[in-house]
Amino acid sequence: MQLYVLTSYVIYLIAGIITCYGMWLLFKKSILSLNDKIALERRIKLRNRNLKNENLEIETEATFIEKWASDLDKMLQHTKHNYRKETALQSFIIFHGASFGILTVLLGIITKSYFFGSFFGLLFVFGNFFRHRLKLRQIRLESGYKLADLTGMLASKYSSEFNPQMRNILSSVNKEIEYPIFKKHITQIVRVDQNYVKDEQLKEVIESFVYSINTSFARELGASVFKALKTKENIGDTLTRLDLKIQQNIKDIQEEMGNKVDMWYLSWFHIVAFPGTLLGIAFGINISDTSILHYQFQTTAGQFMFILSVISIGFARLAAAWFSRQPNDY
């Protein structure tokens, strides 16, 4: 009986996923084409609005929604495969909205509680969002430590030139550096520096580089590179000082950080133990003629305890992954 109930739930879930994916494939070309048209119209309106504000000397401040959308789009640039600026943000929002609705209805029908279904819909949305955030943090942590190599190379090449030109030095460093994230950002900075019309264009690509690291060292390096590219001012002493600070900070972190591997592995224990215990009780213990899965998923107390368990496990896993490594910052 328990196996039949569990199998039927899994079949419902798989059927819903396959149906949604099939609908996406069916309308994919139309949706992408529509997104491209909307993105083009938005860019035209935005450019016209900015030109109007410049002519009237009006300074506009971004709203909270615009700031949130901009930050979300920057996050997707670094965490989403096959990122497309025109469609990535819209697709992300639509996907999570549709997933929330489907999970709410599907689990609501299965468990006879739409509150339980909506909770898991929200859990999926926030869980996937924090998955992207966690991936961004891992990228930032790795980039923060790799920044020591980049700064060292920049300082070395800059000090070796009689009349250093930052664009040429960046191009030279880009050929030698192996870290792909830095190669992508340096390529963009060099390309924009060759063609930009407004300072904001150069600032934007440098801010994107800083965003991928998000440390005080990165912000200082970004400001120095922008100053060298724009004013041709010599920043050799700044790069040397910054390189020494980063190297010393890494040594201090290595001395302070304890071994956190045990905490990392312990966070996985709950993810394995909880479903294993639930399935073991469901198939190994017969409390009554009614399936244990009925008490777990179709009674208020069972649903509440399941929700509480999932939340606690999720936070434990997130905290272990988030604090397992210290950022290279001061």
Side-chain angles (χ1 to χ4, degrees):
M1 180 63 182
Q2 291 93 333
L3 182 60
Y4 171 77
V5 174
L6 183 63
T7 303
S8 63
Y9 289 170
V10 172
I11 291 174
Y12 289 149
L13 183 59
I14 294 175
I17 294 173
I18 292 175
T19 301
C20 295
Y21 185 66
M23 294 293 290
W24 161 249
L25 291 178
L26 184 63
F27 296 105
K28 182 179 179 180
K29 290 184 178 180
S30 300
I31 293 174
L32 293 178
S33 176
L34 180 62
N35 276 337
D36 291 338
K37 293 179 181 178
I38 294 173
L40 177 61
E41 293 179 2
R42 186 183 292 112
R43 287 198 301 270
I44 293 173
K45 289 181 180 179
L46 180 62
R47 184 168 63 248
N48 292 337
R49 186 179 66 182
N50 290 337
L51 288 173
K52 179 180 178 181
N53 291 337
E54 287 180 6
N55 293 332
L56 297 176
E57 297 183 352
I58 299 175
E59 295 185 1
T60 57
E61 186 176 351
T63 63
F64 172 78
I65 297 296
E66 290 174 338
K67 291 179 180 178
W68 174 81
S70 176
D71 183 76
L72 185 59
D73 187 59
K74 289 179 181 178
M75 179 190 74
L76 294 175
Q77 288 181 33
H78 295 88
T79 60
K80 185 176 175 61
H81 294 293
N82 302 321
Y83 171 84
R84 295 182 61 192
K85 186 173 181 62
E86 296 80 11
T87 60
L89 182 60
Q90 298 94 318
S91 299
F92 186 83
I93 294 174
I94 292 172
F95 169 74
H96 285 83
S99 299
F100 170 76
I102 291 168
L103 285 172
T104 299
V105 174
L106 185 62
L107 293 178
I109 293 173
I110 293 173
T111 63
K112 298 181 175 61
S113 172
Y114 285 98
F115 171 78
F116 187 71
S118 62
F119 166 77
F120 268 91
L122 287 174
L123 182 67
F124 173 81
V125 171
F126 283 103
N128 200 42
F129 172 77
F130 282 114
R131 181 180 69 84
H132 281 274
R133 276 291 171 188
L134 186 60
K135 184 177 180 180
L136 177 63
R137 178 173 172 81
Q138 297 300 329
I139 291 172
R140 284 173 166 176
L141 287 172
E142 185 65 22
S143 299
Y145 285 89
K146 293 290 185 182
L147 186 65
D149 298 332
L150 175 63
T151 308
M153 294 172 67
L154 287 173
S156 176
K157 289 185 176 295
Y158 204 93
S159 60
S160 65
E161 296 284 339
F162 177 74
N163 185 24
Q165 297 296 320
M166 179 53 73
R167 185 197 301 172
N168 297 334
I169 291 173
L170 287 173
S171 300
S172 177
V173 168
N174 201 31
K175 295 176 182 177
E176 300 179 14
I177 199 163
E178 297 180 356
Y179 192 50
I181 293 178
F182 286 170
K183 289 184 74 71
K184 181 184 72 173
H185 284 293
I186 292 175
T187 300
Q188 291 176 343
I189 291 172
V190 172
R191 184 174 63 247
V192 172
D193 183 60
Q194 292 173 336
N195 303 297
Y196 78 95
V197 178
K198 300 179 181 178
D199 293 345
E200 286 73 16
Q201 295 173 299
L202 184 59
K203 283 183 180 179
E204 185 178 351
V205 292
I206 293 178
E207 286 174 0
S208 179
F209 164 74
V210 173
Y211 182 88
S212 68
I213 308 171
N214 196 36
T215 64
S216 302
F217 295 132
R219 284 187 281 273
E220 187 174 350
L221 178 62
S224 301
V225 169
F226 176 78
K227 181 168 64 175
L229 289 172
K230 186 176 184 299
T231 66
K232 311 302 180 184
E233 181 178 338
N234 190 297
I235 59 168
D237 293 339
T238 301
L239 290 175
T240 302
R241 176 179 53 82
L242 185 60
D243 179 46
L244 293 174
K245 287 168 60 178
I246 293 176
Q247 299 294 345
Q248 183 59 46
N249 195 67
I250 290 178
K251 292 180 181 178
D252 295 339
I253 290 174
Q254 291 174 343
E255 293 175 0
E256 294 175 3
M257 287 289 288
N259 187 3
K260 296 189 176 182
V261 176
D262 293 340
M263 181 179 69
W264 173 264
Y265 286 116
L266 184 62
S267 67
W268 284 101
F269 173 76
H270 302 82
I271 298 176
V272 176
F274 177 69
T277 304
L278 179 62
L279 292 175
I281 294 174
F283 293 109
I285 300 176
N286 293 322
I287 300 176
S288 66
D289 294 335
T290 306
S291 169
I292 190 68
L293 298 177
H294 167 81
Y295 295 107
Q296 182 70 75
F297 296 108
Q298 295 188 357
T299 62
T300 303
Q303 292 173 357
F304 175 77
M305 294 307 297
F306 188 82
I307 289 173
L308 193 62
S309 300
V310 170
I311 291 176
S312 61
I313 291 171
F315 272 112
R317 180 75 187 92
L318 179 63
W322 194 271
F323 297 108
S324 62
R325 193 178 182 190
Q326 183 175 334
N328 180 23
D329 202 358
Y330 63 87

